[in-house]
Amino acid sequence: MRSIGHVTGDREVVVPLLVRTQNDADRQVDALLDTGFNGYVELPARVIELLELQRLGREQVTLASGKTHRVGKYEATIGFGGSVHSVEVVEVGEPLVGMGLLWGFDLRIQCIDDGQVVLERLS
């Protein structure tokens, strides 16, 4: 088991992602954990541009409000939970980690201010 993040006083779960740029530098991006998002990672346009992620095209997404949008889709190499993942990233408002990246892990959250977020790979 490894502690990978923390719970804020606003009751949000924050986890760090290491995102590899096109020139092989790793940049940390703090993201909110969102179990209602079934994709892998969402990042805002300014972060995608800074990281110089490779664009794959466009994708239609349905937001929590029920509205659908066509957004940019990118490929990224992400360090998360003690391993490296090649994932699709969609261009949306704020950095989010979804169930796609959490799949195959046991997730435990201490739901208190500054609580730990613990992740363990399932066998």
Side-chain angles (χ1 to χ4, degrees):
M1 272 186 279
R2 93 181 320 165
S3 179
I4 62 156
H6 69 280
V7 178
T8 70
D10 292 330
R11 300 179 181 163
E12 295 178 323
V13 178
V14 178
V15 295
L17 298 175
L18 282 178
V19 184
R20 185 154 300 140
T21 65
Q22 288 293 336
N23 60 0
D24 287 332
D26 288 337
R27 297 270 178 112
Q28 181 173 316
V29 176
D30 288 335
L32 298 178
L33 195 134
D34 183 354
T35 59
F37 168 44
N38 63 1
Y40 292 91
V41 175
E42 290 182 0
L43 293 174
R46 63 181 165 67
V47 175
I48 289 171
E49 189 175 304
L50 177 70
L51 297 170
E52 301 174 327
L53 298 183
Q54 179 182 350
R55 187 178 176 117
L56 298 175
R58 295 185 67 73
E59 182 171 304
Q60 185 166 315
V61 297
T62 303
L63 303 178
S65 65
K67 293 183 180 179
T68 59
H69 293 276
R70 289 194 53 78
V71 298
K73 181 171 68 171
Y74 300 81
E75 182 177 35
T77 301
I78 305 276
F80 178 77
S83 53
V84 176
H85 311 265
S86 180
V87 299
E88 289 183 358
V89 172
V90 291
E91 181 183 328
V92 183
E94 65 181 321
L96 295 177
V97 168
M99 289 298 290
L101 196 56
L102 295 170
W103 200 253
F105 287 94
D106 178 20
L107 173 67
R108 296 184 195 135
I109 302 170
Q110 293 178 334
C111 295
I112 57 174
D113 190 16
D114 206 32
Q116 287 188 18
V117 179
V118 178
L119 197 67
E120 181 178 11
R121 182 165 289 287
L122 296 169
S123 45

